[in-house]
Amino acid sequence: MNKKRTAFLTILMTLMFSFPAIAEAKNMEKVQTLNARQQAIVPIAAFTANGDLDKLKPALVDGLDAGLTVNEIKEILVQMYAYAGFPRSLNGIHAFMAVLDERQTKGIDDEMGKEAGPTPADLDKDKYGAEVRAKLAGLETDISSAKWQQFAPAIDTFLKEHLFADIFVRAILNHQERELATIGALAAMPGTEGQLHFHFGAAMNTGFSEAQMKDFISVLDVKVGKKEAESARKVLNAVLVSRK
């Protein structure tokens, strides 16, 4: 009887110590990949940026089915004009309108989601934008006195006051989601490796792990294209080396 009792206690203790370990392992596993909503952001941003509307439409449907609200997707499409220009952003918006019309005729009622609040009237856009950019760059103070800033100070002002203030202050998407959309767009466009390098780092500074950024490459590979994924992988590898 004592042997049976000892064996039972041994099994019980093993299970007690195993369950926390299993739970911890599952939690670690969860942060190794992007969730469904995050994965859906990537092709929406990519196909808006490169202008592939035929692929954008199913990506928009996938985004809605993954749990993105109508206003969250609209916000991604609006943000894209800062990286791909007004024409691509507007084309994406028109494509999204068509998708929503089609879904409504089928009786699908998509969640609108929260609206963006007004920009505070007393917002110091230069200061706010500089603080956001510094945080994304992993710096205590914003970058300054770079050659390009001295050569064309107007573009630096627009970056701080418009992109990192007017756009980033809107509450529909958080900074992490915005950076995910940004790297999705930049990875889909040729000649933007320098900007992609910065924004890979910015995405990780918002809390994305190395494994999640590698999963981003996998999403690119499957959803966008192998060429884009391979090009982005080279940039990410350089970023990971520099961060170590």
Side-chain angles (χ1 to χ4, degrees):
M1 181 65 69
N2 287 338
K3 289 183 179 181
K4 290 183 178 181
R5 179 179 177 82
T6 300
F8 173 77
L9 290 174
T10 300
I11 293 172
L12 182 61
M13 292 297 290
T14 300
L15 290 174
M16 290 176 61
F17 284 105
S18 295
F19 284 140
I22 292 171
E24 183 178 355
K26 286 185 176 180
N27 288 334
M28 290 180 65
E29 186 178 320
K30 288 181 182 178
V31 300
Q32 298 307 306
T33 59
L34 301 172
N35 63 39
R37 293 178 76 261
Q38 291 169 333
Q39 289 182 15
I41 290 173
V42 178
I44 291 175
F47 294 134
T48 302
N50 69 14
D52 193 336
L53 300 182
D54 289 336
K55 293 181 179 179
L56 174 60
K57 287 185 177 182
L60 292 166
V61 172
D62 289 344
L64 291 168
D65 291 342
L68 290 172
T69 67
V70 171
N71 284 334
E72 285 172 337
I73 292 179
K74 284 197 293 186
E75 195 69 14
I76 296 168
L77 300 175
V78 169
Q79 181 181 320
M80 288 302 96
Y81 97 81
Y83 297 96
F86 275 111
R88 294 285 168 87
S89 178
L90 287 168
N91 288 344
I93 289 170
H94 281 290
F96 191 35
M97 292 168 61
V99 166
L100 292 176
D101 286 343
E102 291 174 7
R103 287 169 70 86
Q104 286 178 356
T105 60
K106 296 177 181 178
I108 301 173
D109 187 19
D110 293 300
E111 181 184 353
M112 287 300 297
K114 62 184 178 182
E115 298 275 355
T119 301
D122 59 348
L123 178 67
D124 185 335
K125 294 182 182 181
D126 187 84
K127 179 181 178 181
Y128 181 90
E131 290 174 349
V132 169
R133 184 167 64 180
K135 185 177 180 180
L136 293 174
L139 302 172
E140 293 185 4
T141 57
D142 190 36
I143 57 177
S144 61
S145 301
K147 288 184 178 181
W148 64 270
Q149 290 171 308
Q150 296 178 29
F151 182 72
I155 194 68
D156 189 45
T157 298
F158 294 154
L159 281 168
K160 288 185 294 183
E161 295 188 2
H162 184 52
L163 173 58
F164 292 116
D166 284 331
I167 294 179
F168 269 67
V169 77
R170 294 164 62 84
I172 296 177
L173 298 175
N174 60 37
H175 289 185
Q176 189 176 75
E177 291 165 336
R178 289 193 182 280
E179 282 304 307
L180 185 58
T182 299
I183 60 176
L186 293 172
M189 297 188 293
T192 58
E193 290 80 8
Q195 291 78 17
L196 183 57
H197 189 285
F198 173 85
H199 284 284
F200 263 135
M204 296 185 74
N205 289 336
T206 66
F208 281 124
S209 67
E210 176 179 333
Q212 285 173 312
M213 288 295 89
K214 289 180 177 178
D215 189 46
F216 164 81
I217 300 297
S218 298
V219 175
L220 271 183
D221 192 357
V222 174
K223 298 289 187 178
V224 180
K226 294 188 179 300
K227 180 181 178 181
E228 291 82 357
E230 184 55 33
S231 178
R233 182 180 288 107
K234 292 178 182 178
V235 177
L236 176 60
N237 288 341
V239 171
L240 295 177
V241 170
S242 68
R243 291 175 72 87
K244 291 177 181 178

